[in-house]
Amino acid sequence: MKKIVISIVFGVVLISSALPQAARDVLSLSQYYATGTARSVAMSGAFGALGGDLSVLSTNPAGLAVYRGSEFSFSPALNFTKTSALLDGITSKEKNSRFNINNIGYAYTWNFFNQKGVKSINIGLAYNRLSDFNADAYITTPSLGSSLLDEFVMYSNGFKPEQLYEWYEGLAYKCSAIDLDPGSTTEYYSDYNDFGYEEEMVRSVSYRGGIGEYDISVGTNINNKLYLGFTWGIHDVYYGEFYSHEEYPDFRDPSTYTLDWYVFNEDFTIKGWGMNAKLGVIYRPINLLRFGLAIHTPTFYHLTTEDMTDMTVHFHGIPERATTETTWGESPILENDFKVSTPWRYNASAAVIIGNIGLVSLDAEFLNYSKNEMTPNKDYSGVNDMISNDYKNAVNLKAGTEFKVGPMSLRAGMAYYGTPYKDDLDIFDDEVKNKSTFSYSGGIGFRARSFYMDAAYSYTKFPKYYYDLYEKAKYQFVSSPMQKIRNKVVLTFGFKF
């Protein structure tokens, strides 16, 4: 029950499976999806060889050197996330909508007007949102065959009350949701045993936050053939998880004083920052073709977590006492500092420019998810071993196209994000392990001499993940498959100088 206190993105298990969960949490810090400006989102992020867009400061900084003038852009976005969960034949659906800033940035071009050699030096400052954690989910069932209190009892047995973990089973004992068996000092029970496990259970989680990157970049244009760029990236991480578990029995014995209902809550946050560096190059052998390469150092995160729980328990009184009682308690705030380093990333890209008609662009990204690491290793060696054993190399592919009609542009794209899990891994269901993430996008843009406006829409379907609940009747955890789908709408307003 002494779970590792780090928990990012879906599938948080309240007590069980701590090591696999922590490994998945670290994984989420290295998984980014197409974002930035509306033009970039509409083409699924396939901009590595194109440049001339402020989103490339986070992917291939050589794209900054493509600018021949100065530019400012601002990109608000709306995210609509839907989740569905299946448990005991009941499907629970939830929605979340969230506004954020996808991109804001400024590029300044210092032109030299040389016939040969260095044509310009470019300076870029931008914010690009790399990941979004916002979502809501819940699962419910009238007859799981167990109670969360049974899980608390299971982890309490064999320990004295003062030895119980005060964030979970210790809090349940403090609030009298579980108690010692008569005559025992280390064995426990809960009143829910009396109800036949037909009580209504609702478990809900709200997730908030994301990862944003502040980019400081410089680029240079050599002979309008070779473009070089460098980015210093500073990451801002915030994650908040607000968890609630409620149980209400459908049977009450009016002749006894017994537990009536209870609510268990957990509030968990991660705050921190990270840094990385990126080098990029774009080469244009002829006007028709462009090729790009970029390398990203690991991102080194410094993170702090805060975790606390509280519990409300209501007791039903017998007629002669004509009373009810509610107990409430909370845990201390548990703080934890740690570091995470993500893998190196390598990007290769190519684009075909068809005059003033349009273009086609392809990007490929390579990274080894098994190189994620938590430190200090003396505290997280088990997590790091699991990361090394379970994860593998992956390839992310992006393709985008743009077709111009006068001042208007039509765009489309798709992206494939490869699974990070090894093929022979046997601790995950094949439906999770071998499924990749797919994203489809489209958009439209309008260009004037000194102003442009773009709009984009993207649809991303993530692989299913599983949420575990303890079922006492079978003395095992049962899994609820959960599906997440995100729809994003982005607008960009840009000004050229």
Side-chain angles (χ1 to χ4, degrees), residues 194-321:
D194 300 330
F195 298 134
Y197 299 110
E198 296 299 323
E199 68 274 7
E200 178 186 6
M201 182 278 293
V202 178
R203 181 173 289 193
S204 60
V205 190
S206 294
Y207 304 88
R208 299 293 180 262
I211 300 175
E213 182 176 74
Y214 298 88
D215 297 314
I216 304 169
S217 305
V218 61
T220 184
N221 172 1
I222 302 174
N223 290 323
N224 292 327
K225 292 283 187 180
L226 183 65
Y227 306 89
L228 305 175
F230 169 82
T231 288
W232 184 258
I234 302 172
H235 286 206
D236 176 37
V237 178
Y238 172 77
Y239 171 76
E241 174 196 323
F242 308 98
Y243 164 96
S244 180
H245 182 100
E246 307 171 45
E247 292 189 39
Y248 301 88
D250 60 4
F251 171 77
R252 297 176 177 86
D253 185 347
S255 64
T256 62
Y257 183 77
T258 187
L259 189 151
D260 192 14
W261 56 263
Y262 76 93
V263 178
F264 179 88
N265 299 308
E266 180 173 14
D267 294 341
F268 181 83
T269 60
I270 296 178
K271 297 179 182 179
W273 58 277
M275 292 190 296
N276 65 21
K278 307 176 182 71
L279 286 171
V281 58
I282 295 176
Y283 179 62
R284 186 173 71 167
I286 58 176
N287 290 337
L288 182 68
L289 295 175
R290 290 184 186 179
F291 300 99
L293 291 172
I295 182 171
H296 301 187
T297 70
T299 302
F300 299 96
Y301 287 107
H302 297 253
L303 303 171
T304 298
T305 65
E306 289 187 359
D307 191 17
M308 69 173 296
T309 57
D310 69 80
M311 192 171 194
T312 303
V313 183
H314 185 268
F315 294 90
H316 180 78
I318 59 177
E320 51 267 32
R321 291 179 60 178

Side-chain angles (χ1 to χ4, degrees), residues 330-376:
E330 66 177 358
S331 71
I333 297 177
L334 176 64
E335 295 184 351
N336 187 36
D337 295 323
F338 58 96
K339 298 177 182 179
V340 170
S341 61
T342 66
W344 288 80
R345 308 174 87 94
Y346 307 93
N347 292 273
S349 52
V352 177
I353 313 296
I354 311 170
N356 293 322
I357 299 175
L359 58 88
V360 176
S361 182
L362 301 172
D363 279 33
E365 180 181 58
F366 307 87
L367 70 163
N368 186 349
Y369 287 111
S370 69
K371 299 302 182 182
N372 280 295
E373 185 178 23
M374 290 183 70
T375 56

